[in-house]
Amino acid sequence: MVTIVDEPVIINDEPLISEPEVELPEPEPEPEPEPEPEPEQELPTPKKKPGRPVGSKSKEPGKPRAKRVKIVEVDKQSPPPPVEQSRPIPTSRESQSALMLQMLSQHAKERQNRKADLWKSWFR
């Protein structure tokens, strides 16, 4: 093994292979970007006319449109008209909730009884 201490090393300042000096061209300055045109000035021209083509129209006349139905506002303070065979809804605030609950429970029982009577009639 050889070490640097044992052998003297000579270093030349000149490179071993002489390369020709090439001057690099200076970089060109970047061109300033052109200002974008405002969209109001340049409008793209449409390629086709919008809508249905002329030849596609039907030769037969179309059906007349139905007339618009006017919406009539219902007076919210007056109660709706009663249904036949119905009990009137109580108007006093004190007993209104109790009577409504009673009427609803009676209505549910009547429906159950009607269903049960129908089912019993199948097996008579």
Side-chain angles (χ1 to χ4, degrees), residues 57-68:
K57 291 183 180 177
S58 177
K59 305 294 180 190
E60 299 174 7
K63 294 181 182 178
R65 289 189 176 183
K67 294 185 178 180
R68 291 187 179 182

Side-chain angles (χ1 to χ4, degrees), residues 37-112:
E38 294 180 11
E40 296 175 352
Q41 293 175 354
E42 281 187 35
L43 294 176
T45 56
K47 294 181 181 178
K48 290 178 161 180
K49 289 184 179 179
R52 182 184 251 188
V54 177
S56 68
K57 291 183 180 177
S58 177
K59 305 294 180 190
E60 299 174 7
K63 294 181 182 178
R65 289 189 176 183
K67 294 185 178 180
R68 291 187 179 182
V69 178
K70 292 184 180 179
I71 299 173
V72 179
E73 291 187 23
V74 178
D75 187 16
K76 294 185 179 183
Q77 293 181 358
S78 66
V83 181
E84 294 179 15
Q85 299 177 351
S86 65
R87 297 179 186 154
I89 299 173
T91 55
S92 66
R93 296 276 183 202
E94 303 163 356
S95 63
Q96 185 175 5
S97 60
L99 288 174
M100 281 299 286
L101 289 173
Q102 183 183 6
M103 287 172 58
L104 289 171
S105 65
Q106 283 179 347
H107 181 69
K109 286 179 185 176
E110 287 175 7
R111 288 183 64 209
Q112 287 176 351

